[in-house]
Amino acid sequence: MTTTTAFPHMLAPLDLGFTTVKNRVLMGSMHTGLEEEKNGWAKLAAFYEERAKGGVGLIVTGGVSPNIRGRVGPFGGDMTMPWHVKKHRQVTEGVHKYDTKICLQLLHTGRYAYHPFSVSASKIQAPINPFKPKAMSTRQILGTIKDYAKASKLAYKAGYDGVEIMGSEGYLINQFSCKRTNLRDDEWGGSIENRMRLGVETVKAVREKVGEKFIIIFRLSMLDLVEGGNTWEEVVLMAKAIEAAGATIINTGIGWHEARVPTIATSVPRAAFTWITERMKKEVSIPLVTTNRINTPEVAEDVLANGHADMVSMARPFLADADFVNKAAENRSEDINTCIGCNQACLDHVFEQKRASCLVNPRACYETELNFENTKQAKRIAVVGAGPAGLAFSVYASQRGHQVTLFDRGSEIGGQFNVAKQIPGKEEFYETLRYYKNQLAHQQVDVQLNSEKTAEQLAKEGFDDVVIATGIKPRELGIEGFKHEKVKSYLQVLRDKEEVGKKVAIIGAGGIGFDTASYLAEEESLTTNIEAWMKEWGVDKEYNNAGALAPAESEKSAREIYLLQRKTTKVGKGLGKTTGWIHRAFLQKKGVQMIPGVTYKAINDQGILIEVDGKERQIEVDNVIICAGQEPNKDLYNALVAQGQNCHVIGGADIAAELDAKRAIRQGAELAARI
């Protein structure tokens, strides 16, 4: 095992003058939903304490409003009263058991507030919010600046090492700084000097209130990525004014929530936006933090070694693995449970007012509820199926002291993950499989691949428990011509790499249908080509245009693809709340025709005959790909139960409505915790 010089730039201390951060890793702000739960602050304290124990240098909490109007929702968190100090102390005391610093993020949502009392620079409704804000009066603006200062003083009393003032992502301060949302003609609108005044005066007021030995991070929108965003010259002017006002650190903000450019999804190349932080380093002298899609210590080290920033911010990677920094310091990066950027259990949950967690780490935000204590009675357990559910169960159960044998009829672990990793933009699934492969070895799980067991064989081997994680099996659809030679399953296409013609119809527009369409539409993934990806999504790296937007340069697919669904709702409506629009936009760029409200009449020599709005239509295609019609593969489970075997079923073998790795991994973990 090597020393802590494994990643010398990432692990180097950062001297802030009045204090030192022990390394260059900042755990970025994430709202978890625990902030609003009953007894949530005790759970939140455990969540942050575990990350501090894991070695991170500086933590920024989820956003808390400086006043009631700025709350995220009607019952959102705020830091306005002296009695708030006590609950926050639980967090700071937990973190300060270790040599980690923590800052409270002060976030006024402005027109993004999900309640009818929202305010903004001007009376302009956000496209992602049903509530229209009121334009703030000068008195309200001055009062809000005082509220930021007061909240910062309360944060100081609660034991925080500093605050982060949220000035990006399209929230209130960003709404003032951009012409898109600021139509004012008073001293708070018009010129950039006026528009940036709210942010600058807020930093000044906070610094005056808390003194010199308190960290003030300002999250500055360096790329608005929206029409009416700021020019590079305006961003630089604001950065210099923020530095002069007393900020300790400037953190990089990328894109508004309403921007039509992906910024953190798994399809975004790693470290895709660090170039803008590097550019800002030439303009200011205080430390800069860069961010977005930095998910391994190797990427972080490279960014810092190349001088793109003074610190790296990683948020979701600390949901995926609380021990990220310690493992890196011990040169064990292969043991890090890597964030795959899926958003399914974190951001999607938060936007649905549910508690955040993590697809690859179901313990995230459940640190006081989901634990894997040593078992008092070790069992011999057979697990059949090495997909996400079976892998999760095997690792956690063996961690508790059970003797686990994992069987799979395939030649490699992963199940449906081996399908997902083929999709352009989903290459991060390779990381999850690498992690599980290492954990199976560490936990000494007996892995038997190319092994298909019958109920009789399992019964003879005398296991105490058998866990069935055999996934799904295809169900025949009641369509005439279903057995036609033109028909292929998505597994034949994605897993078996069977040849597909130039004209294709896809039956089923759920997650699998969209993945298959993406696979067939894009010849080459852009996730490793930042320049090409920027052009595809219309990001102006030269910053010649306000908001850093440029016309998107996207080529249509060489294939003619039809994505069909029975439902009459918008195609893709059931996809992830924060990523569904990306998948739809990508397929639209590629020219995929998405058709809802379809009745399937027949598959024939010409292709597929459908009916839409009472009219029949023959679509001529070379192949019809089936991405619908699956059911739990429960045959082995039923046979074992009939024999009286102590048996459990998890994952797709339990529920096969839509392949769901998030539910499968959680189910495997929860069973392992109680078995």
Side-chain angles (χ1 to χ4, degrees):
M1 191 172 290
T2 61
T3 65
T4 55
T5 57
F7 298 96
H9 294 86
M10 188 183 87
L11 297 170
L14 178 64
D15 185 0
L16 298 177
F18 59 89
T19 190
T20 299
V21 180
K22 68 177 177 181
N23 56 49
R24 303 302 179 100
V25 182
L26 181 148
M27 175 178 160
S29 173
M30 290 176 288
H31 194 78
T32 66
L34 289 170
E35 295 88 346
E36 289 81 45
E37 279 192 22
K38 187 177 181 182
N39 300 320
W41 282 88
K43 296 175 184 178
L44 198 62
F47 168 74
Y48 285 123
E49 182 178 330
E50 198 160 297
R51 274 77 197 159
K53 184 180 180 182
V56 66
L58 176 60
I59 293 171
V60 177
T61 70
V64 172
S65 180
N67 57 34
I68 292 171
R69 283 185 183 270
R71 287 177 177 176
V72 173
F75 304 104
D78 59 66
M79 188 62 140
T80 55
M81 298 293 178
W83 58 266
H84 288 151
V85 167
K86 187 177 179 181
K87 63 181 181 181
H88 282 268
R89 271 213 186 102
Q90 297 174 76
V91 170
T92 59
E93 287 173 0
V95 168
H96 287 151
K97 290 176 185 175
Y98 305 92
D99 185 20
T100 296
K101 302 194 184 302
I102 183 166
C103 293
L104 178 71
Q105 187 187 77
L106 296 177
L107 165 69
H108 191 303
T109 51
R111 72 175 190 157
Y112 283 165
Y114 208 80
H115 57 69
F117 307 107
S118 60
V119 292
S120 185
S122 301
K123 194 177 180 180
I124 303 173
Q125 188 173 342
I128 58 173
N129 196 333
F131 299 103
K132 191 170 189 175
K134 291 182 173 63
M136 294 175 75
S137 65
T138 299
R139 183 178 177 182
Q140 284 179 313
I141 295 169
L142 294 173
T144 297
I145 293 169
K146 286 182 180 178
D147 290 339
Y148 270 105
K150 178 186 175 185
S152 299
K153 189 68 174 181
L154 291 172
Y156 176 84
K157 290 179 178 177
Y160 287 102
D161 300 287
V163 293
E164 177 175 82
I165 297 167
M166 183 50 147
S168 68
E169 264 76 2
Y171 290 112
L172 182 74
I173 291 174
N174 207 179
Q175 290 160 27
F176 267 83
S177 68
C178 289
K179 292 177 182 177
R180 177 183 182 84
T181 42
N182 188 338
L183 305 181
R184 304 175 73 95
D185 56 8
D186 60 5
E187 67 271 32
W188 305 97
S191 67
I192 182 58
E193 288 81 3
N194 286 351
R195 299 197 314 273
M196 70 185 188
R197 181 167 287 153
L198 175 60
V200 174
E201 293 300 323
T202 296
V203 173
K204 284 181 182 176
V206 170
R207 177 57 74 202
E208 189 176 335
K209 197 77 169 178
V210 297
E212 293 302 313
K213 297 183 178 181
F214 194 68
I215 299 170
I216 299 177
I217 306 170
F218 188 87
R219 184 91 162 263
L220 175 70
S221 185
M222 294 193 198
L223 292 170
D224 291 315
L225 300 179
V226 289
E227 298 288 344
N230 282 336
T231 65
W232 174 244
E233 292 72 23
E234 289 173 328
V235 174
V236 169
L237 196 67
M238 186 168 178
K240 290 180 175 179
I242 291 295
E243 178 179 23
T248 317
I249 296 170
I250 291 178
N251 195 355
T252 302
I254 304 293
W256 290 35
H257 285 311
E258 63 208 68
R260 294 294 89 182
V261 177
T263 55
I264 59 171
T266 189
S267 58
V268 178
R270 289 177 174 180
F273 297 103
T274 63
W275 54 271
I276 195 65
T277 316
E278 179 190 25
R279 189 166 172 176
M280 183 60 78
K281 272 182 70 66
K282 301 177 179 73
E283 306 291 345
V284 296
S285 58
I286 58 175
L288 295 184
V289 183
T290 199
T291 186
N292 287 44
R293 289 289 286 126
I294 299 167
N295 66 340
T296 72
E298 290 79 10
V299 174
E301 179 69 16
D302 189 55
V303 167
L304 293 166
N306 288 328
H308 286 203
D310 301 288
M311 291 189 82
V312 290
S313 172
M314 292 178 273
R316 295 169 302 166
F318 286 100
L319 285 174
D321 198 325
D323 294 319
F324 182 103
V325 177
N326 283 349
K327 288 178 180 178
E330 294 164 4
N331 206 21
R332 293 193 299 119
S333 58
E334 74 279 0
D335 289 328
I336 292 173
N337 196 358
T338 305
C339 167
I340 61 174
C342 69
N343 290 0
Q344 290 180 34
C346 51
L347 285 173
D348 284 356
H349 278 207
V350 169
F351 279 99
E352 292 165 4
Q353 280 80 55
K354 296 195 294 191
R355 190 196 305 192
S357 189
C358 178
L359 182 147
V360 299
N361 176 24
R363 275 199 76 241
C365 300
Y366 287 82
E367 286 76 14
T368 62
E369 296 151 87
L370 181 58
N371 287 294
F372 306 102
E373 297 169 358
N374 291 341
T375 181
K376 293 175 182 175
Q377 183 183 355
K379 294 181 176 182
R380 286 186 65 241
I381 303 173
V383 181
V384 184
L391 289 171
F393 174 84
S394 298
V395 168
Y396 290 126
S398 58
Q399 187 179 313
R400 292 190 60 213
H402 294 301
Q403 186 181 337
V404 179
T405 304
L406 175 61
F407 300 99
D408 196 280
R409 65 185 179 186
S411 59
E412 59 182 339
I413 65 167
Q416 293 287 337
F417 268 24
N418 290 315
V419 175
K421 72 186 184 185
Q422 312 295 332
I423 311 304
K426 289 195 172 181
E427 293 85 358
E428 293 289 10
F429 282 91
Y430 281 98
E431 299 288 355
T432 306
L433 294 175
R434 177 263 312 152
Y435 170 76
Y436 273 122
K437 187 176 181 181
N438 284 323
Q439 295 312 301
L440 291 171
H442 291 329
Q443 299 300 334
Q444 299 182 319
V445 175
D446 180 10
V447 180
Q448 297 190 22
L449 300 174
N450 300 304
S451 178
E452 192 163 4
K453 292 287 184 180
T454 65
E456 290 74 20
Q457 288 171 323
L458 288 167
K460 280 180 185 175
E461 295 195 29
F463 290 102
D464 298 309
D465 287 80
V466 178
V467 176
I468 300 300
T470 44
I472 55 96
K473 59 183 178 181
R475 170 171 48 84
E476 287 196 12
L477 300 180
I479 303 173
E480 183 184 328
F482 182 74
K483 303 272 190 178
H484 196 282
E485 61 182 7
K486 285 180 178 283
V487 175
K488 294 180 185 288
S489 73
Y490 72 92
L491 289 175
Q492 288 173 289
V493 175
L494 300 177
R495 182 190 63 196
D496 305 335
K497 300 290 191 293
E498 291 190 10
E499 196 170 321
V500 177
K502 288 294 183 184
K503 296 182 178 181
V504 183
I506 297 171
I507 293 178
I512 302 165
F514 267 81
D515 279 354
T516 303
S518 297
Y519 174 81
L520 294 172
E522 185 166 56
E523 298 296 324
E524 181 183 354
S525 176
L526 299 182
T527 52
T528 56
N529 188 336
I530 292 176
E531 300 298 327
W533 185 90
M534 293 285 172
K535 289 179 180 176
E536 170 105 1
W537 287 98
V539 180
D540 174 19
K541 274 195 79 174
E542 299 304 314
Y543 225 131
N544 293 319
N545 303 306
L549 288 180
E553 299 176 25
S554 183
E555 292 185 12
K556 289 196 172 181
S557 172
R559 278 195 175 89
E560 187 178 310
I561 302 172
Y562 299 86
L563 184 56
L564 315 174
Q565 73 173 28
R566 291 185 194 272
K567 294 177 183 175
T568 56
T569 51
K570 183 178 181 180
V571 175
K573 187 181 179 184
L575 298 177
K577 198 169 181 69
T578 60
T579 55
W581 70 269
I582 301 172
H583 300 307
R584 288 191 295 270
F586 173 76
L587 293 188
Q588 286 164 357
K589 287 173 184 287
K590 296 299 175 186
V592 174
Q593 298 184 53
M594 295 178 256
I595 307 174
V598 172
T599 299
Y600 306 108
K601 307 294 284 189
I603 298 169
N604 50 38
D605 292 339
Q606 289 71 46
I608 183 167
L609 179 66
I610 64 172
E611 184 180 303
V612 182
D613 295 330
K615 296 178 183 177
E616 286 194 350
R617 176 183 174 186
Q618 176 72 47
I619 301 178
E620 294 188 7
V621 292
D622 303 310
N623 290 110
V624 177
I625 315 296
I626 307 298
C627 296
Q630 58 221 17
E631 58 189 25
N633 187 5
K634 270 186 172 171
D635 295 347
L636 182 57
Y637 173 75
N638 292 334
L640 286 164
V641 170
Q643 290 184 10
Q645 173 69 51
N646 195 17
C647 205
H648 314 267
V649 60
I650 56 176
D654 179 38
I655 301 172
E658 179 67 69
L659 297 179
D660 188 347
K662 176 184 70 174
R663 182 182 53 78
I665 290 173
R666 176 163 290 279
Q667 217 177 3
E670 289 176 345
L671 177 61
R674 67 175 184 267
I675 198 166

